[in-house]
Amino acid sequence: MVEHYIFPLFIVMFLFQNNLCNALKCYDCNSAFDPRCGENFDNSTIALVDCDQRQANIPGMKDQKATICRRVIENVGGIDRIIRTCGWLEDEGMEDCFRKSTPGVKYNYCICRTDACNSVGVNALFPSPTVN
């Protein structure tokens, strides 16, 4: 009788484990609210998040899995902030890092596709923490 339950239990455990292994893990913080997320980021002080446990705040994308980690350096009114998050939207031609600006807001936007990849410090990709 027990053997009837072993195979289904094995399948459920395999699927559960496989789902956990495939989830992208990124750092999720904002230096405006947590200074540990800033320029001198120390990945031993902030935990990784399982991006599958987060939902996209984008209409029509609630069931989508995150495919990228993001690290954004925003300069709003002369004040820098660094934002690290999971990401759901990725344009096919999107470069790994790019700069953009609008009146009063400038930002450097970087994406990556492996666990914990958005831990990189500001100076690793850009010569200055201030967005030009």
Side-chain angles (χ1 to χ4, degrees):
M1 180 86 168
V2 172
E3 52 274 349
H4 293 293
Y5 296 105
I6 291 177
F7 184 70
L9 182 61
F10 174 74
I11 295 296
V12 169
M13 287 174 41
F14 175 77
L15 291 174
F16 182 71
Q17 178 185 11
N18 194 32
N19 188 35
L20 289 177
C21 293
N22 289 332
L24 182 64
K25 293 171 182 59
C26 304
Y27 292 99
D28 187 11
C29 58
N30 183 328
S31 66
F33 309 111
D34 186 346
R36 298 175 304 160
C37 192
E39 179 180 349
N40 298 317
F41 183 72
D42 178 359
N43 63 6
S44 67
T45 65
I46 295 179
L48 285 168
V49 298
D50 178 343
C51 293
D52 282 357
Q53 301 301 313
R54 306 281 182 180
Q55 286 189 340
N57 292 329
I58 304 163
M61 294 194 67
K62 275 193 168 183
D63 295 330
Q64 296 292 323
K65 289 185 177 236
T67 57
I68 57 175
C69 294
R70 299 183 296 193
R71 205 238 23 250
V72 180
I73 306 170
E74 286 184 340
N75 182 286
V76 181
I79 299 171
D80 286 336
R81 77 179 75 173
I82 299 171
I83 303 162
R84 302 169 199 274
T85 62
C86 301
W88 289 265
L89 290 175
E90 180 178 5
D91 292 334
E92 193 154 312
M94 181 184 278
E95 297 176 28
D96 289 343
C97 290
F98 61 91
R99 295 175 186 226
K100 209 155 200 155
S101 63
T102 59
V105 179
K106 299 175 186 176
Y107 65 93
N108 289 336
Y109 184 93
C110 291
I111 64 167
C112 51
R113 296 166 186 84
T114 59
D115 288 345
C117 60
N118 64 340
S119 68
V120 67
V122 173
N123 295 325
L125 292 177
F126 302 105
S128 167
T130 304
V131 181
N132 297 326

